[in-house]
Structures are given as structure tokens and as C-alpha cells.
């Protein structure tokens, strides 16, 4: 009888190792102790980890999630239970409160203060016990940064906008014209422009630290909107390796919707660039699709048709991404989009974490000084891709004045300016340690300036599953929404979820932070609000389009 039970619950696993920017997930396996007691076990390590209880009082972590291949050959989400978890000494595990868990955050415990490389071995997470007998298992990991909340009752403040009394960035938030505002100042407005409606530009928005906004004057009911609560933010923008791995878990039909060219195209065909200059996007078809079998994608910066070599660009931020692509990636990985309020506070910090008054024209590193000469690139497209002439005095970012020129015009490696001796300014880091929030590729954010954006409430984290067309898909009649629900491209129409609940439109999204091709400093400071999306968007216009996601703590 015991021998039969072992056979019944035996699994065949091909454990795959996921590599990111200095993050490694390895030794992925299933620990099977019988019905109701199945765990996924793995090791996870990454460099430059930290945890401090002073200053920003935050820490970083690794978001891990898993996919397995079903008997029909398709990859699906491995559901975690939230019980039967085991963390090694010095580490903690966080999972959201929803019944079925998409992933888990592994991070330093309060007893593990400091900075340096970490290696959490033999982490175990409880997994759902109804898996097929024979599966291939793939583990994936994303580096994240914890962003604390703004206190509800303490005299916490966060500056929105960057007005100094005389000037402000384009369409920046303000209390009165050219005056930065705080969460305690009502109402918040922006200059009249084509990207925002009268609610923001004429009436103003009231922001509260309980993750709500007020849109009536005088004060009335509060509307849920992501503003001040604690969250986890991706430390880096989506990498080309990350988007490649995403594509390689999709069906042929899903791949067709998340790429620019057919998965059945010839080997070496770009995945995301319709035609023309690649702008340093190196994801290509490695094995073309045949008879409906999904294509296999790889990175090939040196164009030798040998994929995913050490110099093939896996660590470069992924550009040419539409909002629908980023939404699908976030749903697939269990994450969610950030709001433009969250974008500014992740960059600037808030008063409970340190004195952070707004500076006119400031960038993510807290000053308005930026390096403006052409960078010199060394060891291009490798994990050690570096800039040999960056500055330690002015902030560093990839933008038009520092761009490398043809054929190297495009984004750079995630975290390229961070070194063993760099500080916040020279590394280009935000107050909480999030990288490249200025330049490189732009950030898709939920806007507060339109009906469509303000209707994005509760903002659920992704569940790891996409629609048959490869779109982010939320729960029908669920409590939350994402921008562009059900093909919404009208800024004056609320986002709703009563049909397929797929994200196929763009209404409610805007871009913040600029990208490698941005030419005017005033339009890509952290307070600039100059890149709301039009009613439709095409991939040829997003050579600087990328993004990252957040995990809402619920």
C-alpha cells in the first residue's frame, strides 16, 4: 500500500533556473509528503540586498512564482496555499491574503539587518495538492523593493508636484500654480491641458493616506484609488530576459497577441520590433512555430543565431512594449500596475522616512542635476555592461543627450549605474532604492486625470493566468479594475468588468519618467505629466515603452 502511494504521488520534474539582474532561483523541486502536504522547494539568491530600520526603513526581496506544464503541453500557474511554508533562518515569507496564492516574497527578517549578497536555501512553500502526476516545473524570480506606507495619523507628508513658487514641471500636480502640494493640502490640481479633464484641472483631487481620493467639492464620499499604502515595487524595469521567459510560457495564439511578428516567422525574426532599427531590443524567434506549437524565443544581441549567450542582452530593459503587453506580463507574474501618485512617492519618499521637500525639475535621485554627455559603453549586452564615463556628481540616466548613437541607441542594462561605491545620485536610484525611474524606458501608470483612470479602483494583483488571447484578464464582476478593460480607449468612459474582463485598451494609463529618447528635461522629471496615451496606440511608437509592476499588500 505504501509503495502504491509513492507511485501515485510521484512527479517528474525538469527544474529550470531563472536568471535576472543578479538574482538566481535554482534547485526547484517538489517535496511530496502525501495528500495535502505538497511543497515546492528552491534556493534563491541575489546581490546587493539590504534591510535597515533607519532612514528609508525599508528592504528588498525576491518575488517568486512557478509555472508547470500540463499534459497538453501548455504552461499554467502553480497555485500556492499560504500554509506549510518554511523559511530558512534570517528570512521571512510574505503572501497576499487571497485564498489561492500566485507567488511569495522572500526577504530579510528583522534579525537580518545590513547590506550584501544573500542566499536563502531550501525555502519551502505549500502548493496545491491536485497537480498532474508528471509535470515540468519552472520557477521565476523578480527583485522587489518594499515601500512603506504614509502614516494615517502621524504628521506624514509627501510632496506631489515640484513647483518652487515660480516654475514647475509640465502639467505637474500643485495646490496653486507652481506650488508643490502635500497629502494634507486640498485640493490638488494641474494646469489645463489635453491630457487631463476638468475634474483635475478645475475642481482638483483630494488625496488621503487611506488609499482613497475625493472627487467632490465640498467633501463627500471617498473613492478607492491606489495612493499611500505600503507596497512592493519591482526594483528594475521588465528585462528582455523576463519578457522572453514570459513569451516562452504562452500558447501560439497568446504569443501572436504579445509580439509584433508572427511566431511562425523565420528564426532570427524580431519578437517586438515591427521593422527598422532595433533600438537595442534583442528578443528574437529561436525556434519558429510549426503546426500551432508555440515558438521558442531567445535573446541574440550579436546576431549569430546562437541564443542566450553571455553577451546577448538579456539584462537590458525591454522596450517596444505596449500597455497591453505590460498588463499581460504583470497579470502573468502576479503583480499589478502602479498609480501616478505611487510613482512620485516611490521616487521622492515621504516625511516619515526622511526630509524630502520637492525640488523643481527633480529626477528620481532627488536633484535636478543630470549628466548630459554621450556615454561610453563597455562590455555591451553582457551582465557587466557598464558606462565608463558616468558622473558621481550629477545624476545618471539614459536620455537623448547621453544616448550612444546608432547602432546602440536604446535602453541600457537594468541597474547599470549602481556600483559598489555609488550613492543614490550617481546610481540614479529613487529614495527607496528603485532603479531607473527616470529615463531608460518609460513607466506605465494609472492616471488620476481622467474618468477612465479614476475608475480604476482596488486594483487587484494578477492571478498568474491570461486569457486565451494572451491578455491580462480580471475576474468578472470582481471588485477591482485595471486601465483599458474590455477595449476601453475613451478617457471619458469608466473601466468596467462585466464581460470578458480582458485588458485590450489603454484608457486610464499614462507614461511617466521619460525614456532613452526623451529630449526635454522638463518633460521627464518625476513630476512631469506629459505622456498620456492617445485613444489608440501602435508598437512602432513605443521604442521607449517598457515598465514595471507592484505588489499590493492585502
Amino acid at each position: 500500500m505504501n509503495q502504491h502511494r509513492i507511485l501515485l504521488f510521484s512527479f517528474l520534474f525538469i527544474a529550470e533556473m531563472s536568471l535576472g539582474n543578479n538574482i538566481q532561483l535554482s534547485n526547484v523541486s517538489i517535496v511530496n509528503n502525501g495528500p495535502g502536504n505538497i511543497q515546492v522547494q528552491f534556493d534563491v539568491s541575489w546581490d546587493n540586498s539590504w534591510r535597515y530600520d533607519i532612514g528609508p526603513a525599508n528592504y528588498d526581496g525576491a518575488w517568486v512564482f512557478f509555472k508547470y506544464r500540463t499534459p497538453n503541453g501548455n504552461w499554467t500557474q502553480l497555485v500556492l496555499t499560504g500554509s506549510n511554508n518554511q523559511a530558512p533562518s534570517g528570512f521571512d515569507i510574505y503572501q497576499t491574503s487571497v485564498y489561492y496564492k500566485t507567488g511569495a516574497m522572500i526577504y530579510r527578517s528583522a534579525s537580518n539587518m545590513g547590506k550584501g549578497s544573500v542566499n536563502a536555501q531550501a525555502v519551502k512553500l505549500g502548493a496545491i495538492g491536485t497537480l498532474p502526476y508528471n509535470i515540468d516545473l519552472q520557477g521565476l524570480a523578480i527583485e522587489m523593493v518594499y515601500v512603506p506606507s504614509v502614516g494615517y495619523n502621524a504628521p506624514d507628508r509627501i510632496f506631489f508636484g515640484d513647483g518652487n513658487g515660480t516654475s514647475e514641471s509640465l502639467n505637474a500636480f500643485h495646490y496653486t500654480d507652481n506650488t508643490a502640494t502635500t497629502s494634507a493640502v486640498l485640493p490638488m490640481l494641474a494646469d489645463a491641458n489635453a491630457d487631463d479633464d476638468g475634474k483635475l484641472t478645475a475642481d482638483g483631487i483630494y488625496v488621503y493616506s487611506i488609499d482613497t481620493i475625493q472627487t467632490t467639492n465640498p467633501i463627500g464620499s471617498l473613492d478607492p484609488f491606489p495612493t499611500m499604502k505600503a507596497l512592493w515595487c519591482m526594483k528594475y524595469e521588465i528585462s528582455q530576459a523576463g519578457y522572453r521567459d514570459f513569451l516562452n510560457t504562452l500558447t501560439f495564439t497568446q504569443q501572436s497577441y504579445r509580439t509584433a511578428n508572427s511566431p511562425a516567422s523565420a528564426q532570427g525574426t524580431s519578437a517586438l520590433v515591427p521593422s527598422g532599427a532595433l533600438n537595442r531590443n534583442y528578443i528574437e524567434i529561436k525556434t519558429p512555430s510549426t503546426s500551432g506549437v508555440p515558438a521558442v524565443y531567445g535573446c541574440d544581441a550579436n546576431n549569430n543565431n546562437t541564443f542566450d549567450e553571455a553577451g546577448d542582452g538579456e539584462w537590458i530593459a525591454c522596450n517596444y512594449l505596449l500597455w497591453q503587453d505590460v498588463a499581460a506580463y504583470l497579470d502573468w507574474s502576479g503583480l499589478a500596475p502602479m498609480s501616478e501618485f505611487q510613482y512620485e512617492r516611490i521616487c521622492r519618499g515621504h516625511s516619515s522616512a526622511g526630509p524630502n521637500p520637492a525640488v523643481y525639475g527633480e529626477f528620481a535621485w532627488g536633484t535636478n542635476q543630470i549628466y548630459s554627455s554621450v556615454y561610453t559603453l563597455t562590455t555591451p549586452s553582457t551582465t557587466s555592461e557598464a558606462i565608463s564615463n558616468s558622473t558621481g556628481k550629477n545624476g545618471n540616466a539614459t536620455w537623448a543627450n547621453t544616448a550612444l548613437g546608432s547602432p546602440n541607441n536604446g535602453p541600457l542594462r537594468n541597474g547599470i549605474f549602481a556600483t559598489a561605491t555609488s550613492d543614490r545620485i550617481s546610481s540614479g536610484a529613487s529614495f527607496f532604492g528603485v532603479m531607473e525611474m527616470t529615463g531608460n524606458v518609460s513607466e506605465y501608470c494609472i492616471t488620476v486625470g481622467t474618468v477612465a483612470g479614476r475608475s480604476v479602483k482596488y486594483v487587484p494583483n494578477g492571478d498568474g493566468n491570461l486569457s486565451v488571447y494572451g491578455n491580462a484578464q480580471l475576474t468578472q464582476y470582481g471588485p477591482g479594475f485595471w486601465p483599458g478593460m474590455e477595449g476601453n480607449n475613451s478617457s471619458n468612459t469608466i473601466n468596467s468588468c462585466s464581460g470578458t474582463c480582458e485588458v485590450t485598451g489603454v484608457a486610464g494609463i499614462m507614461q511617466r519618467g521619460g525614456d532613452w529618447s526623451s529630449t526635454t528635461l522638463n518633460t521627464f522629471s518625476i513630476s512631469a505629466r506629459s505622456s498620456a496615451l492617445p485613444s489608440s496606440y501602435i508598437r512602432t511608437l513605443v521604442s521607449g515603452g517598457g515598465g514595471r509592476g507592484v505588489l499590493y499588500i492585502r
Side-chain angles (χ1 to χ4, degrees), residues 260-433:
N261 301 300
S262 170
S265 301
Q267 183 187 67
T269 301
S270 174
L272 294 171
V273 183
S275 63
L278 295 176
N279 296 126
R280 304 200 83 212
N281 191 293
Y282 301 124
I283 306 175
E284 298 178 357
I285 294 175
K286 177 180 179 180
T287 305
S289 169
T290 58
S291 303
V293 175
V296 178
Y297 291 88
C299 295
D300 189 21
N302 59 17
N303 201 33
N304 66 353
N305 286 335
T306 301
F307 295 84
D308 305 324
E309 297 175 293
D312 275 338
E314 297 182 45
W315 302 273
I316 299 170
C318 191
N319 53 341
Y320 283 100
L321 295 181
L322 301 169
W323 157 240
Q324 294 91 330
D325 301 325
V326 173
Y329 178 90
L330 298 182
D331 191 11
W332 170 85
S333 57
L335 302 178
M338 73 177 84
S339 75
E340 54 175 328
F341 289 141
Q342 292 168 325
Y343 170 79
E344 288 203 29
R345 80 178 183 93
I346 291 168
C347 289
R348 189 175 283 126
H350 48 77
S351 60
S352 63
N356 302 290
V359 176
Y360 167 56
E362 72 181 306
F363 304 105
W365 49 88
T367 78
N368 56 12
Q369 303 299 307
I370 188 171
Y371 192 69
S372 59
S373 298
V374 176
Y375 286 134
T376 300
L377 191 66
T378 63
T379 57
S381 303
T382 69
T383 187
S384 58
E385 178 175 281
I387 298 297
S388 62
N389 62 332
S390 60
T391 174
K393 297 180 180 180
N394 298 328
N396 287 293
T398 311
W399 64 293
N401 281 30
T402 60
L404 304 173
S406 181
N408 287 316
N409 257 345
L412 300 179
R413 175 179 65 83
N414 284 329
I416 192 169
F417 303 111
T419 68
T421 59
S422 61
D423 57 16
R424 178 185 171 190
I425 293 175
S426 60
S427 67
S430 81
F431 181 81
F432 291 110

Side-chain angles (χ1 to χ4, degrees), residues 93-145:
I93 297 171
Y94 169 78
Q95 292 177 289
T96 58
S97 60
V98 295
Y99 184 68
Y100 291 111
K101 321 296 182 184
T102 302
M105 194 75 68
I106 315 301
Y107 60 100
R108 289 173 180 254
S109 66
S111 64
N112 191 5
M113 296 287 176
K115 179 181 179 180
S117 299
V118 293
N119 187 356
Q121 294 188 324
V123 183
K124 295 179 181 179
L125 303 173
I128 193 168
T130 56
L131 296 172
Y133 298 148
N134 298 306
I135 59 173
D136 300 340
L137 181 67
Q138 181 177 181
L140 301 111
I142 299 174
E143 287 183 74
M144 306 286 285
V145 173

Side-chain angles (χ1 to χ4, degrees), residues 390-529:
S390 60
T391 174
K393 297 180 180 180
N394 298 328
N396 287 293
T398 311
W399 64 293
N401 281 30
T402 60
L404 304 173
S406 181
N408 287 316
N409 257 345
L412 300 179
R413 175 179 65 83
N414 284 329
I416 192 169
F417 303 111
T419 68
T421 59
S422 61
D423 57 16
R424 178 185 171 190
I425 293 175
S426 60
S427 67
S430 81
F431 181 81
F432 291 110
V434 178
M435 309 301 295
E436 282 89 49
M437 291 288 264
T438 291
N440 217 30
V441 294
S442 57
E443 313 288 338
Y444 287 108
C445 299
I446 305 163
T447 181
V448 74
T450 66
V451 169
R454 292 190 297 273
S455 70
V456 177
K457 303 175 181 181
Y458 190 71
V459 195
N461 296 312
D463 65 2
N465 300 304
L466 303 180
S467 76
V468 294
Y469 300 108
N471 298 315
Q473 186 171 35
L474 276 63
T475 303
Q476 189 179 35
Y477 303 115
F481 310 97
W482 285 15
M485 299 293 300
E486 301 189 349
N488 185 14
N489 285 318
S490 172
S491 61
N492 296 318
T493 302
I494 64 171
N495 284 291
S496 61
C497 183
S498 59
T500 64
C501 302
E502 297 180 57
V503 176
T504 54
V506 298
I509 272 290
M510 75 183 313
Q511 291 172 293
R512 299 289 294 264
D515 61 63
W516 64 269
S517 64
S518 299
T519 58
T520 306
L521 293 178
N522 186 258
T523 63
F524 80 111
S525 63
I526 63 175
S527 292
R529 304 178 60 257

